[in-house]
Amino acid sequence: MTARSALRRYMLVSFLTWLPLGLMAATMVLLMTARGLGLAEVGLSVTVFSVVTATLELPTGGLADVLGRRVVLAVSAAFTVAALVLLAVSTTFWMFLISGVLKGVARALSSGPATSWYVDTLHGIEGRDADLKPGLARGGAMESVALCVGVLAGGGLPLLVPAQVIFPLAAPPLVGATAAAVLLVVVVFAMPEPAHARRSLAGVLREVPATVGAGLRLAAGAPVLRRMTAAAAASGVVLISIELLTPGRLAELAGTAERGSLAYAVVSALGFASSAAGSALAPRVARLAGGSAGTVLAALSVGALAATAGLRGPAGLVSAGLAYMTLFVGLSVAGLLCLEMTHNAVSAAERTTVTSTSSLSLQAGGVVANLTLGALAGQAGVAVAWIGAALVVLASALLFVRMPAPTGSSRSPAPRARSHSG
């Protein structure tokens, strides 16, 4: 295998890994509500996914070292197929809950092995000094492309499927399951297992509690990391507030669930583009307005969603779309600055542990939002739930005030994080 061949395979696997998620994203919440679930039950179902993903994140990372990259990726693809088929045919809360568990297992299993496969393969071809950045960047770009293509295709598909053949909102998950089946075939037949150091399963499992404990102690012990962990939790709250509540709001504005799925797909695609714009703007925004600017912008955007919740027709759709785009610019700016400050506060040996801790904090914020905002929206309305999320994010802007100097283990400054660098 050549380096170019390895890159092509890595890019294809990266695309196929995220394509099923993009395909189901536009209709998942609408499918659940169309089959009788309330927003609180939808939130609980999504919470189960988040909890399973967060719980298995570290153990499954080590599993790829024990069983091999290809095996773990293949098992992840199989779980994705099962999860999305079950999602498409689910009619009760418990069926959706089981689908969420399967999706969580699949997501945790898919986190890391593809990148590890590419790095191991390239090192085997070009040696330990091989330049990883171009390939990893292209893999990350393919993930974004897959999400954008998937959400647009998944959002438009319900309008094209004959209702007498299949329930329109169930079509995107089924197509996503087909894409996951293609991924399974590609992984099995096109990803030869690279040579890498093997570890014992018992050793991996013994390391998990120590790794989690070390991450928590590190995040709690350094002032900068405490603030960044709290900021990640606030980001989790706002992300869930829009993923949970926006599909129903747009379906209401569009008139039907099928047209609402297309509207949500378009808005989500614009959100991905806005996120890229935010990444490009982050350095300049940081110089002009400081680290809290992105967070304040995100809070104002969610507040705008709440303020325009009473609008109807095209005005409501346009205002929701503009608020969504502005929100993702703000989140992207804040996220990149948080990433830089986090990496500058730790040494190279602590980097992976702290990144995992930040991810867990983001998931924890999402869990809290799922358990509270869905019920709040059901009782008091979507606008009130969005106001609550906006206040949480606005309060998190205070975390950037008088930011203490980094006090990581290493006295030498860590390399600055770069957007899209992997």
Side-chain angles (χ1 to χ4, degrees), residues 214-223 225-226 229 357:
L216 293 176
R217 287 192 298 273
L218 187 60
L225 296 181
R226 281 200 301 267
T229 301
T357 304

Side-chain angles (χ1 to χ4, degrees), residues 8 56 72 106 179 184 221 233-234 263 299 378 391 416:
R8 285 198 301 265
L56 297 180
V72 171
L184 176 58
L391 291 175
R416 289 182 175 270

Side-chain angles (χ1 to χ4, degrees), residues 266-289:
V266 173
V267 166
S268 296
L270 291 173
F272 292 133
S274 300
S275 181
S279 298
L281 291 171
R284 180 172 297 180
V285 171
R287 288 194 300 269
L288 296 177

Side-chain angles (χ1 to χ4, degrees), residues 106-274:
R107 180 69 192 95
L109 287 168
S110 69
S111 178
T115 301
S116 297
W117 177 89
Y118 175 68
V119 172
D120 291 339
T121 301
L122 195 62
H123 280 167
I125 297 170
E126 298 185 350
R128 301 288 299 180
D129 295 330
D131 187 4
L132 301 174
K133 293 189 292 298
L136 295 179
R138 290 184 183 183
M142 291 306 292
E143 293 175 2
S144 298
V145 170
L147 286 170
C148 188
V149 170
V151 76
L152 286 173
L157 191 59
L159 294 173
L160 304 176
V161 176
Q164 61 269 26
V165 176
I166 186 176
F167 185 55
L169 294 176
L174 287 177
V175 175
T178 303
V182 174
L183 171 64
L184 176 58
V185 174
V186 170
V187 168
V188 171
F189 291 102
M191 294 185 70
E193 187 67 34
H196 62 275
R198 298 281 182 166
R199 302 163 62 198
S200 68
L201 181 60
V204 169
L205 294 178
R206 280 196 302 268
E207 289 176 10
V208 170
T211 301
V212 174
L216 293 176
R217 287 192 298 273
L218 187 60
V224 171
L225 296 181
R226 281 200 301 267
R227 297 195 186 197
M228 293 302 96
T229 301
S235 295
V237 171
V238 72
L239 283 170
I240 289 300
S241 76
I242 59 171
E243 291 176 4
L244 181 63
L245 303 177
T246 305
R249 164 67 175 152
L250 294 180
E252 178 188 353
L253 290 171
T256 67
E258 290 77 17
R259 288 200 292 268
S261 71
L262 178 59
Y264 182 66
V266 173
V267 166
S268 296
L270 291 173
F272 292 133
S274 300

